[in-house]
Amino acid sequence: MNTIAVLTSGGDAPGMNAAIRAVVRSAIEKGMRVMGVRRGFNGLMHGDIFEMTLRSVSNIIERGGTILYTARCPEFRTEEGVQKALNTCKYLGIDGLVVIGGDGSFRGARELSEHGLPTVGVPGTIDNDIACCDRTIGYDTAMNTIVEMVDRLRDTSESHDRCSVIEVMGRHAGYLALNGGIAVGATSVLIPEFEYDFERDVIDRMKRTRRTGKKNFIIVAAEGIKDEIEPMAAVIEEATGVETRYTNLGHVQRGGSPTACDRVLGSKMGYWAVELLSQDIGNRVVAQKDGKIVDFDIFEALSMEKHIEEREYKVAYDISI
Ligand code: ADP
């Protein structure tokens, strides 16, 4: 393999830059050329591509976001879109590709592999929702951001004897809400994976906790739960008499300098992806399993499922009373 390309796709995540840096440096170390593709599959279809050097990735390991930019690209879901991308690769002599992104991006990567372009996926997503992988790039940073933000909210909630209802990211996966909630000692954690009863799991818990002397409360909810989160504040205030404010942490959760964990994970996974391509191995997803970097067939990776265990969910409840 002489020339490989790297792109970031879907939602951005802190640590993607560490992965890009590792891909570029390790490929050049192996004697390959590396092309950077801007804005995901868009750039691949339209030829927004440039050659990267050892110095194009200097001083990026500490930066959030992605220096290659990212995008969602509906056109790439069509056969014509895939053909356009393949033509670009043929024209520029690109023999292999690293796709850093989430599940959706891996479906795109699988398409390219099936059409003969060896492609390796690297899991970059704050949601930690890649089934084959214990930890994805960006998750640790996002969780630490949540903890920092909620700690600030707690200072003001505590001063005013208030309740804070905090919405965190996670449309389908509750990892950020659950583990962020445990880390901030939330009174209740609501996630899409588990049924909850609002009266029992929020209102009654608050009342019970208040009887033990607690006066300020934190409720953490993932954006993907069945109910709207913002109106909960008024319901809680009405039912408990505790002044309640709603805060959506929003896109701050995506940004910021990656933690040491995400820098190391991004670096190791980017390196591993190039190892595979250098051996002409494509159609794989790099993952971290039981502390080790491994890889899976993309098809197999996409068909896997991972679940939050009930006892993990129970931890959040049993120790926050
Ligand atoms: P993420 O990678 O974070 O899960 P998306 O689901 O938005 O983000 O997917 C990112 C991009 O991957 C999409 O905009 C599209 O270009 C590409 N993609 C998603 N699903 C497919 C698919 N089934 N076939 C081809 N490309 C896809």
Side-chain angles (χ1 to χ4, degrees), residues 206-221:
M206 278 181 65
K207 287 181 178 167
R208 210 175 114 202
T209 310
R210 199 166 45 170
R211 284 199 290 276
T212 67
K214 193 170 168 66
K215 292 192 172 60
N216 62 91
F217 306 87
I218 291 166
I219 312 296
V220 173

Side-chain angles (χ1 to χ4, degrees), residues 53-211:
T53 66
L54 290 175
R55 296 281 70 81
S56 25
V57 289
S58 292
N59 297 331
I60 65 165
I61 197 164
E62 74 282 17
R63 284 168 58 188
T66 157
I67 62 159
L68 291 176
Y69 306 96
T70 184
R72 297 210 155 81
C73 177
E75 196 187 344
F76 189 71
R77 290 169 184 261
T78 64
E79 180 59 27
E80 299 82 69
V82 173
Q83 281 306 331
K84 264 195 204 173
L86 290 165
N87 288 343
T88 310
C89 292
K90 204 166 168 197
Y91 180 72
L92 294 174
I94 293 168
D95 319 299
L97 176 69
V98 178
V99 170
I100 305 167
D103 260 351
S105 304
F106 295 164
R107 286 179 213 285
R110 187 181 60 187
E111 282 299 317
L112 291 170
S113 283
E114 280 175 355
H115 284 78
L117 180 75
T119 303
V120 176
V122 170
T125 164
I126 62 166
D127 293 329
N128 199 32
D129 59 349
I130 303 295
C132 66
C133 197
D134 292 340
R135 287 276 177 276
T136 57
I137 300 167
Y139 170 62
D140 187 62
T141 307
M143 200 157 52
N144 278 283
T145 303
I146 290 170
V147 168
E148 190 189 332
M149 295 297 140
V150 177
D151 282 349
R152 285 166 192 247
L153 284 168
R154 185 213 307 276
D155 290 343
T156 167
S157 288
E158 194 172 352
S159 305
H160 289 271
D161 292 334
R162 274 185 194 137
C163 170
S164 248
V165 175
I166 299 155
E167 177 169 342
V168 304
M169 283 186 170
R171 230 169 273 155
H172 306 289
Y175 292 96
L176 281 174
L178 176 60
N179 292 317
I182 291 174
V184 299
T187 300
S188 300
V189 176
L190 309 176
I191 58 175
E193 289 89 342
F194 288 100
E195 273 295 318
Y196 59 85
D197 179 308
F198 188 75
E199 196 64 31
R200 180 195 65 202
D201 297 331
V202 179
I203 304 293
D204 290 352
R205 282 180 67 78
M206 278 181 65
K207 287 181 178 167
R208 210 175 114 202
T209 310
R210 199 166 45 170
R211 284 199 290 276

Side-chain angles (χ1 to χ4, degrees), residues 13-21 25 56-67 141 254-260 262-264 267:
M16 281 183 161
N17 283 328
I20 295 167
R21 174 176 173 271
R25 296 257 170 97
S56 25
V57 289
S58 292
N59 297 331
I60 65 165
I61 197 164
E62 74 282 17
R63 284 168 58 188
T66 157
I67 62 159
T141 307
R254 286 201 178 280
S257 178
T259 58
D262 279 333
R263 295 181 198 197
V264 172
S267 300

